[in-house]
Amino acid sequence: MEHEENGRRPASISVPSRMDPLLRRLTEGVGGPLGKHAAPGRVRSWPFPVGRVLVLLTTTAALLAVLVKNPCRVDGWVRPEQFYRACYSDWSEAFQFQGLGRGSFPIFDDASTYDEPALQALFAGIVSLLIPASDPVRAEPVVQFFDVNAVLITAAWVGTVIATLRLASRRPWDAAIVAVAPIAIFTATSSWTMVAVLLGVLGSLAFAKDRFVLAGVLLGIGAGFSVHVLLIYGAVVLLTVRTGLWRPSLFTGVGLAVTWILTALSLGTGAPSWEYDPARIDVSSSVWASYNLLAERVGAPVLATEAVGVAAVVGFLALSVLVVLLVLRAPRRPRLPQVAFLLVGALVLVLPDYRPAFTLWLLPLLALSYVDWRMFIGWQVVEVLHWWAYWLFIAREASSGAVENNIDSPFYAAAILARVGVTAYLMYRVAEHMLQPAFDPVRRFDIDDPAGGPFNGAPDRARSAPVGLEPSAPTPNTGPKDPT
């Protein structure tokens, strides 16, 4: 919980049942919204302060995430059952078939076929050392490897929620989006993606606390897990241009670059990749795969692997240019999480080898950018339906399962397009708040950019507002309500 400086009384915090129309209605059955005379944030809510409640919610969600995979924990990760039951996990696949269970350490052992980003491979190898040597095909060591990773991912999940809470300032309940998101429950225990998410949020928190070198180090380590972490620094650079505050960006960039160089030299790796394996394009969940599936259906030309790669790069650059123009032309300096959300969202829209777990990249950024529980629930419904369609389609492509259990390609393509559409709409809503900052729920609290670190309250150096309008001035708490 955040307190004001110089010994003043604690600051009040936002209450979702007061601020969100959907939650206000849903609380009617349990007594209604919090009363107007209550003082959340000013009065200690012992024994259940916000942080403790969010940790309990995250732990409960993590237990549900393990239960989702329990059919495979009991009966084994075998094809096609693991696809039809949607309990597939990269952990079991890497342990059984990519050398981890045979003692082949990724990167340093040529016998290892594990081909994920460098630091993720190193992390997976270290975890595999905790499992007693035995036949990797047997059920016991695979389950042990899964359980150890589940504990570590739970810790990363809790850390992500706490860091998001710290960044949310007087809206700590927004971190509940990260704690209870259904797509996190379904995908958190399928890969090591949550570790990359944690590193990105920790890097953002360090930047917000003016610890710029540490922020660069954390973002550099995160880039070794996932390329999307680099885009958080991209948001820093864009706001540096807007404010003219070059020192924070420079120190963070040096920390990031040195960390990456040391990692590349020690592990013998190159630049962070797009995490794109052309061999997986037929079972990816990208907009390009959707086009190819529909093109095959109607007999139209399909995109070759090389064309997909070029189109993805061009598409990302085009979307990035739009984000740059938006940041520079907005009437008031945008908040750092908003810019980061748009950049990562652009990558999510065009990434060739997209997987459902990559949605986790967006969760903390959305929680800090735009919180509307109606939109959140709608987004999650689409993401969960897409997640289920993804596994049914992979079951059709990668196994000889029963035909009646498979999903036809047009339905899978429709699920992909629905996911892309709702993600694009969320980006549009965030961009709308950047262009109309009076509707930004965070700035209704007479604060500027609590996650922005040195950008918080900084003046604009490059602005397009009319003369006499100060874009950096706090938005009055009595501003107009968001029409949606």
Side-chain angles (χ1 to χ4, degrees):
M1 186 172 303
E2 185 170 329
H3 297 271
E4 295 188 7
E5 298 176 354
N6 302 324
R8 290 179 293 175
R9 63 188 303 190
S12 62
I13 63 174
S14 170
V15 179
S17 62
R18 287 176 176 172
M19 305 297 293
D20 190 271
L22 176 63
L23 296 183
R24 189 183 303 123
R25 289 195 296 269
L26 292 179
T27 55
E28 291 297 335
V30 291
L34 193 67
K36 63 180 180 179
H37 296 295
R42 299 184 185 275
V43 178
R44 181 176 173 82
S45 54
W46 189 87
F48 293 109
V50 178
R52 192 171 299 172
V53 172
L54 291 178
V55 169
L56 290 174
L57 289 175
T58 309
T59 305
T60 302
L63 291 174
L64 293 176
V66 173
L67 288 177
V68 169
K69 301 296 189 291
N70 201 53
C72 287
R73 291 183 73 257
V74 174
D75 298 329
W77 280 270
V78 295
R79 299 185 180 188
E81 287 78 9
Q82 63 175 339
F83 301 132
Y84 290 126
R85 296 176 175 181
C87 58
Y88 167 91
S89 176
D90 286 350
W91 305 340
S92 60
E93 197 79 4
F95 192 81
Q96 293 182 95
F97 307 115
Q98 295 181 305
L100 293 180
R102 297 190 301 271
S104 299
F105 201 90
I107 301 175
F108 303 110
D109 190 340
D110 293 337
S112 173
T113 59
Y114 191 76
D115 59 353
E116 295 296 333
L119 290 185
Q120 180 174 309
L122 182 64
F123 183 86
I126 293 174
V127 176
S128 69
L129 298 178
L130 303 177
I131 309 302
S134 60
D135 184 358
V137 180
R138 293 176 55 203
E140 294 85 354
V142 180
V143 172
Q144 290 172 359
F145 187 69
F146 176 89
D147 290 346
V148 170
N149 278 290
V151 171
L152 295 174
I153 288 301
T154 298
W157 195 347
V158 171
T160 301
V161 170
I162 293 174
T164 304
L165 179 152
R166 296 285 301 277
L167 287 166
S169 183
R170 292 167 64 183
R171 295 179 58 91
W173 286 109
D174 290 349
I177 279 183
V178 186
V180 302
I183 195 62
I185 294 173
F186 288 116
T187 64
T189 52
S190 64
S191 69
W192 287 281
T193 302
M194 189 64 77
V195 179
V197 174
L198 172 64
L199 289 166
V201 177
L202 288 179
S204 301
L205 181 60
F207 187 84
K209 300 299 181 183
D210 295 337
R211 303 182 67 178
F212 307 125
V213 175
L214 176 61
V217 170
L218 290 170
L219 294 178
I221 296 173
F225 278 83
S226 172
V227 70
H228 91 277
V229 179
L230 290 176
L231 299 179
I232 298 176
Y233 179 67
V236 171
V237 173
L238 290 181
L239 290 181
T240 296
V241 175
R242 177 81 191 227
T243 61
L245 299 176
W246 291 96
R247 181 177 177 274
S249 177
L250 177 62
F251 277 72
T252 303
V254 169
L256 191 158
V258 170
T259 301
W260 175 78
I261 291 173
L262 291 177
T263 301
L265 292 177
S266 59
L267 300 181
T269 60
S273 70
W274 277 66
E275 301 182 37
Y276 170 46
D277 181 357
R280 286 197 292 252
I281 187 62
D282 291 333
V283 290
S284 80
S285 192
S286 68
V287 65
W288 320 109
S290 176
Y291 167 81
N292 279 348
L293 290 172
L294 295 177
E296 289 176 352
R297 193 79 175 187
V298 300
V302 299
L303 295 173
T305 299
E306 296 76 11
V308 168
V310 172
V313 172
V314 172
F316 178 71
L317 292 177
L319 291 173
S320 298
V321 169
L322 293 178
V323 175
V324 171
L325 294 176
L326 179 63
V327 171
L328 297 181
R329 298 288 295 174
R332 180 178 177 183
R333 170 182 36 78
R335 294 187 291 111
L336 180 59
Q338 292 175 319
V339 182
F341 178 82
L342 292 183
L343 290 175
V344 175
L347 180 63
V348 165
L349 291 182
V350 303
L351 192 67
D353 186 24
Y354 182 84
R355 309 170 214 173
F358 292 167
T359 302
L360 299 179
W361 296 348
L362 295 174
L363 281 177
L365 298 175
L366 180 68
L368 298 169
S369 300
Y370 175 74
V371 177
D372 182 311
W373 282 86
R374 293 172 299 180
M375 274 301 306
F376 171 71
I377 291 173
W379 176 46
Q380 290 299 290
V381 168
V382 172
E383 288 286 354
V384 170
L385 291 176
H386 164 260
W387 167 81
W388 185 250
Y390 175 82
W391 291 116
L392 290 181
F393 184 76
I394 286 185
R396 191 192 84 166
E397 295 295 300
S399 65
S400 55
V403 175
E404 60 269 19
N405 293 333
N406 295 332
I407 188 173
D408 203 3
S409 55
F411 296 102
Y412 178 53
I416 295 175
L417 294 177
R419 173 192 66 80
V420 170
V422 74
T423 302
Y425 182 73
L426 287 174
M427 294 171 63
Y428 163 76
R429 294 294 297 164
V430 172
E432 189 176 46
H433 282 180
M434 293 166 65
L435 292 173
Q436 303 181 55
F439 294 144
D440 188 344
V442 173
R443 283 174 164 162
R444 291 176 187 171
F445 279 81
D446 299 332
I447 56 179
D448 183 31
D449 187 3
F455 304 135
N456 186 26
D460 278 339
R461 303 297 183 189
R463 62 184 181 181
S464 58
V467 176
L469 175 63
E470 177 54 60
S472 295
T475 303
N477 197 30
T478 57
K481 294 183 178 180
D482 192 330
T484 60

